């Protein structure tokens, strides 16, 4: 079960706070060689059944690249952001860690996905971030996440935090009819917001448009990928897309932290809340 992963090399420089997602109970947590998995109730299944169906979102957009923000010609692009995450899934409004799997019309979340194998005994999927929510202009909380492919057996692993905690994996066998049986063809960073029909679109991120300041904007940083040879490549070019620029915005910009700069995906917006 031990994966063969090359690890993305990251420079450690942060002016933010981080927290451990490990859940320790009064009785000492999970017994040896067991993992925390939420008990699936009838209500859970009913709520999951009422989730809106996923949809792929095709669009034409431009690459935005480098410090000069040079744009390249438009090309057709298929986003997988069509999944919807809303309070229906959990029955509450807490901010949570989650995973989502989609293959054609089949989709599922967390341990409702039968093929995701959890191996970590202390960090459950759907864990709530509780009170560790960033405050705009105040304390900023962040978490580190990776998805990497096992070089030997082709399993895709979910890793968290700076010590690469191995949460679990998607077996290669479930990707027989997709590109992920080999390597990924596209990667998305950013935010997704959803509201049911006839309900105003909700805020995203800090609920403000990004102002190119990581102390005020929701962001993804230290963006990197591994190539087929296992070399770490810092991402300095990406496609940006916004469904409704009147409600949300996304920026791909280099920001300076101390004497170093790195690219950030900065995103957010008021949604329709400011128009109500």
């Amino acid at each position: 079960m031990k994966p063969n992963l090359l690890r993305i090399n990251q420079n450690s420089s942060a002016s933010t706070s981080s927290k451990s997602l490990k859940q320790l109970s009064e009785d000492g947590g999970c017994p040896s060689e067991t993992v925390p998995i939420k008990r699936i109730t009838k209500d859970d299944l009913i709520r999951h059944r009422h989730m809106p169906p996923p949809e792929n979102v095709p669009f034409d957009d431009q690459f935005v690249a480098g410090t000069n923000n040079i744009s390249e010609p438009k090309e057709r692009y298929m986003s997988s952001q069509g999944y919807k995450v809303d309070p229906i899934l959990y029955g509450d409004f807490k901010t949570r860690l989650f995973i989502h799997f989609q293959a054609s019309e089949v989709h599922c979340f967390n341990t409702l996905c039968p093929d995701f194998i959890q191996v970590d005994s202390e960090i459950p999927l759907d864990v709530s971030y509780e009170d560790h929510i960033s405050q705009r202009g105040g304390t900023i909380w962040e978490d580190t996440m990776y998805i990497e492919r096992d070089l030997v057996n082709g399993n895709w692993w979910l890793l968290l935090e700076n010590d690469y905690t191995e949460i679990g994996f998607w077996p290669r066998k479930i990707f027989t009819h997709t590109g992920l049986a080999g390597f990924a063809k596209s990667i998305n960073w950013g935010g997704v917001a959803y509201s049911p029909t006839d309900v105003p679109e909700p805020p995203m991120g800090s609920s403000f448009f990004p102002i190119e300041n990581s102390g005020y904007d929701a962001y993804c940083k230290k963006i990197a990928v591994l190539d087929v040879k296992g070399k770490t490549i810092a991402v300095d070019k990406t496609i940006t897309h916004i469904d409704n620029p009147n409600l949300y915005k996304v920026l791909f910009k280099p920001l300076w932290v101390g004497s170093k700069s790195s690219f950030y995906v900065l995103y957010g917006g008021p949604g329709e809340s400011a128009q109500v």
Side-chain angles (χ1 to χ4, degrees):
M1 294 276 288
K2 194 69 175 175
N4 294 280
L5 304 173
L6 290 176
R7 308 295 193 215
I8 290 179
N9 296 319
Q10 297 280 20
N11 294 323
S12 58
S13 60
S15 58
T16 55
S17 301
S18 60
K19 72 179 288 283
S20 172
L21 291 176
K22 295 180 179 178
Q23 303 291 291
L24 301 178
S25 61
E26 294 180 357
D27 61 2
C30 295
S32 176
E33 299 184 2
T34 65
V35 297
I37 297 179
K38 182 181 183 298
R39 186 184 299 276
I40 304 301
T41 66
K42 180 179 179 180
D43 287 341
D44 291 327
L45 296 175
I46 291 174
R47 286 198 300 268
H48 189 268
R49 195 174 300 122
H50 288 162
M51 291 292 293
E55 55 183 301
N56 287 324
V57 183
F59 56 86
D60 295 306
D61 242 316
Q62 290 179 320
F63 278 102
V64 177
T67 56
N68 296 322
N69 289 331
I70 300 173
S71 295
E72 296 182 2
K74 289 187 176 183
E75 67 176 51
R76 195 67 171 169
Y77 179 71
M78 181 69 76
S79 170
S80 60
Q81 66 176 347
Y83 63 87
K84 314 282 198 307
V85 182
D86 67 28
I88 292 176
L89 183 60
Y90 303 106
D92 60 36
F93 293 88
K94 295 179 179 179
T95 299
R96 297 176 182 271
L97 169 73
F98 74 91
I99 61 171
H100 176 265
F101 177 83
Q102 178 181 343
S104 186
E105 298 301 316
V106 177
H107 77 116
C108 54
F109 291 85
N110 304 322
T111 51
L112 291 171
C113 297
D115 289 312
F116 182 81
I117 310 299
Q118 175 142 358
V119 301
D120 186 80
S121 62
E122 297 180 307
I123 301 180
L125 295 175
D126 76 16
V127 60
S128 168
Y129 283 89
E130 298 294 341
D131 299 323
H132 294 83
I133 304 298
S134 297
Q135 302 299 316
R136 189 171 188 267
T139 301
I140 303 299
W141 294 91
E142 62 182 31
D143 208 350
T144 305
M145 303 179 184
Y146 311 86
I147 295 180
E148 294 189 30
R149 181 179 181 273
D150 190 305
L151 300 178
V152 175
N153 56 37
N155 296 336
W156 286 87
W157 281 81
L158 172 64
L159 314 172
L160 293 182
E161 304 182 354
N162 291 327
D163 62 355
Y164 301 94
T165 299
E166 297 159 4
I167 305 302
F169 64 91
W170 294 268
R172 182 185 184 279
K173 66 180 181 179
I174 68 175
F175 300 113
T176 53
H177 301 295
T178 71
L180 289 176
F183 289 87
K185 295 181 179 178
S186 66
I187 305 171
N188 298 338
W189 296 276
V192 176
Y194 166 74
S195 65
T197 304
D198 299 326
V199 175
E201 295 288 349
M204 181 190 294
S206 66
S207 78
F208 291 84
F209 292 127
I211 60 173
E212 301 183 29
N213 186 325
S214 61
Y216 290 80
D217 301 336
Y219 62 83
C220 303
K221 73 173 189 179
K222 295 186 178 180
I223 299 171
V225 297
L226 291 172
D227 65 12
V228 294
K229 297 180 180 179
K231 179 182 178 182
T232 300
I233 300 175
V235 176
D236 62 1
K237 179 174 67 174
T238 187
I239 291 171
T240 59
H241 173 76
I242 310 159
D243 285 336
N244 190 330
N246 295 318
L247 306 182
Y248 311 109
K249 293 188 184 302
V250 61
L251 304 174
F252 183 63
K253 295 277 187 177
L255 297 183
W256 287 88
V257 178
S259 60
K260 298 180 179 179
S261 71
S262 61
F263 278 90
Y264 282 65
V265 174
L266 307 160
Y267 62 93
E272 294 178 309
S273 59
Q275 305 176 22
V276 176

